[in-house]
Amino acid sequence: MTVEAAPVELTVGPPAHGGHCVARHDGRVVFVRHALPGERVRARLTDARPGARFWRADAVEVLEASTDRVEQVWPEAGPGGVGGGELGHVALPAQRRWKSAVVGEQLRRVGGLDVADVPVHGCPSDTDGRGWRTRIELVADAEGRAGMHRHRSSEVVPLTTMPLAVPWMDVEGLLARRWPPGGRLSVVAPEHDRRVVLVDGVPWGERGPDTRTNARTSVREQVTVAGTEHTWRVGAAGFWQVHRDAPAVLAEAVLAALEGLGGMTLVDLYSGAGMLTRPMAVLAGAEGRVHAVEGDRRAVRDARRNLHDAQGVTLHHGPVAEVLDSGAVPSADAVVLDPPRVGAGRRVVEQVVALAPGRVVYVACDPAALARDLGYLADHGYRGAQVTAFDLFPATHHVECVAVVDRA
């Protein structure tokens, strides 16, 4: 609900976590999307409830542009459009400066850590912020047209383009088809395997549902990490990193953080299908052990297949907190955490501390959750946080971090 029908003129301030910038209107904080720091814009208020602590707005006209502004790489994600491309109007180097400032601010304000802004590194295949997604989620509208939800809305907007997807996904063909109204599409297109399309969990081919008992519902992911080629089999409906370069980038960052710990006991929490577990097992070697803990049944099924030939790996199925409470993992020389967006939380952090690892490596897709959990670790004597950030989500506000802390 808005209190003003006409756009308001705003002078835009610094970026904030969530993909918007901070401005003020009549003394009230306004979070503005589709703007850049330092710009003067006309903005349409999208959420301006009386008495609210802050308002939300979309910049719809730029009066004074930043030198970092570029043509939106995905116009359908522009003002009033779908979510998922909120920084598409920002030059790629400036996107990374934006994310660097946000990560640093969250670590300082939420985690109480004494850190400067964290540099954000790009990926080898990124040139203009397009062509990186190997996984997309779509929903069909009432006419069967594939689209996405309008930002902060349940309304489905039919799409004509999806430039963030890898070119071999053939998004144009998907968007030209008609699908079951209301159907949810999961599209997976690895670099080294054929595309899989699921509609409400059912595999689909060119002629409709594929009801064969051997219809493909999983894909092969092939990645070279630190000179070793690994292959995973992952359910198309399961979790895997969406950026084409992300598995190698993150696994190599984790291995670098674990350097010198070969032959020791390593723990991989929220291990999924084993994306980090396999490279960790290579590092641990014949004399080491790796405990992998995952709660999702489908991911564990994939992990058992992916880790069947990995030496020294024990896979534990169950919620991380419950597995650690059970004593199934008695101790660790180092712990790696790769939790969902909400983070690990105080209980799991305290359980990690109880394992007495000398080093903790935390992979995070949300800087606020990371900052909170690093603060908890600092309270238990794990200090000297070294944080590296990676731009695994160009044209969006999302950023991936790898943090390393050691026991004092």
Side-chain angles (χ1 to χ4, degrees):
M1 181 174 68
T2 63
V3 295
E4 298 183 49
V8 298
E9 190 172 310
L10 300 172
T11 299
V12 181
H17 183 36
H20 39 245
C21 294
V22 180
R24 290 187 177 272
H25 178 64
D26 290 340
R28 190 187 304 266
V29 170
V30 182
F31 290 120
V32 190
R33 286 164 45 90
H34 311 294
L36 277 148
E39 290 188 330
R40 195 162 59 87
V41 301
R42 285 196 178 94
R44 181 182 66 251
L45 295 171
T46 57
D47 188 350
R49 290 166 291 180
R53 291 189 301 112
F54 58 84
W55 288 350
R56 298 179 185 274
D58 280 356
V60 294
E61 182 182 357
V62 180
L63 304 175
E64 295 180 9
S66 166
T67 57
D68 291 323
R69 178 174 283 275
V70 297
E71 184 177 351
Q72 167 63 264
V73 299
W74 184 18
E76 287 169 298
V82 301
E86 61 277 358
L87 296 192
H89 63 291
V90 185
L92 207 52
Q95 288 185 37
R96 291 168 185 161
R97 293 195 299 272
W98 175 311
K99 296 176 185 184
S100 171
V102 168
V103 171
E105 189 268 342
Q106 293 294 301
L107 292 174
R108 293 187 293 270
R109 183 175 62 82
V110 178
L113 304 177
D114 182 17
V115 297
D117 289 350
V118 176
V120 177
H121 303 278
C123 291
S125 65
D126 290 333
T127 55
D128 62 0
R130 289 179 273 202
W132 52 270
R133 289 195 71 109
T134 61
R135 284 160 166 74
I136 63 172
E137 299 286 331
L138 302 170
V139 60
D141 70 1
E143 298 179 31
R145 299 172 297 181
M148 293 175 61
H149 289 114
R150 196 178 303 280
H151 180 63
R152 294 176 62 84
S153 169
S154 60
E155 179 188 358
V156 177
V157 179
L159 294 177
T160 61
T161 62
M162 171 46 114
L164 306 189
V166 290
W168 55 84
M169 187 178 285
D170 184 27
V171 172
E172 292 78 7
L174 293 170
L175 299 179
R177 294 178 63 175
R178 288 296 181 265
W179 304 91
R184 296 187 172 272
L185 285 68
S186 299
V187 187
V188 181
E191 192 163 2
H192 303 288
D193 201 359
R194 290 178 294 143
R195 184 185 73 184
V196 169
V197 178
L198 303 180
V199 180
D200 293 329
V202 177
W204 273 55
E206 293 301 321
R207 299 181 180 180
D210 188 344
T211 58
R212 297 173 301 165
T213 56
N214 63 343
R216 292 178 66 239
T217 58
S218 63
V219 296
R220 184 181 72 255
E221 296 284 354
Q222 187 173 310
V223 183
T224 299
V225 179
T228 299
E229 186 176 284
H230 299 274
T231 300
W232 294 263
R233 198 79 187 179
V234 184
F239 175 78
W240 189 259
Q241 289 288 337
V242 299
H243 193 296
R244 56 193 290 192
D245 297 335
V249 166
L250 292 177
E252 290 186 353
V254 168
L255 291 187
L258 297 175
E259 186 177 2
L261 295 177
M264 297 190 178
T265 299
L266 310 177
V267 176
D268 182 12
L269 301 181
Y270 310 95
S271 54
M275 187 190 83
L276 298 177
T277 314
R278 278 194 66 89
M280 288 170 63
V282 173
L283 173 69
E287 302 301 318
R289 299 288 304 174
V290 179
H291 291 272
V293 184
E294 172 56 48
D296 183 82
R297 187 175 300 278
R298 291 178 304 181
V300 171
R301 185 171 61 244
D302 288 339
R304 292 196 190 284
R305 180 168 49 192
N306 293 325
L307 301 170
H308 76 278
D309 60 345
Q311 280 189 313
V313 174
T314 302
L315 182 59
H316 306 270
H317 175 216
V320 167
E322 293 181 13
V323 171
L324 294 182
D325 262 349
S326 74
V329 183
S331 64
D333 294 296
V335 173
V336 175
L337 302 91
D338 186 5
R341 192 169 302 281
V342 295
R346 186 187 296 274
R347 180 184 176 189
V348 170
V349 167
E350 290 176 348
Q351 291 169 320
V352 167
V353 170
L355 297 177
R359 172 162 290 185
V360 176
V361 183
Y362 195 127
V363 181
C365 58
D366 183 87
L370 171 66
R372 178 202 65 206
D373 290 347
L374 288 180
Y376 295 156
L377 284 163
D379 291 341
H380 290 280
Y382 285 83
R383 304 185 184 279
Q386 303 174 45
V387 183
T388 306
F390 300 96
D391 190 15
L392 303 185
F393 310 91
T396 83
H397 73 276
H398 298 293
V399 59
E400 198 90 7
C401 296
V402 177
V404 184
V405 291
D406 291 323
R407 187 176 57 210

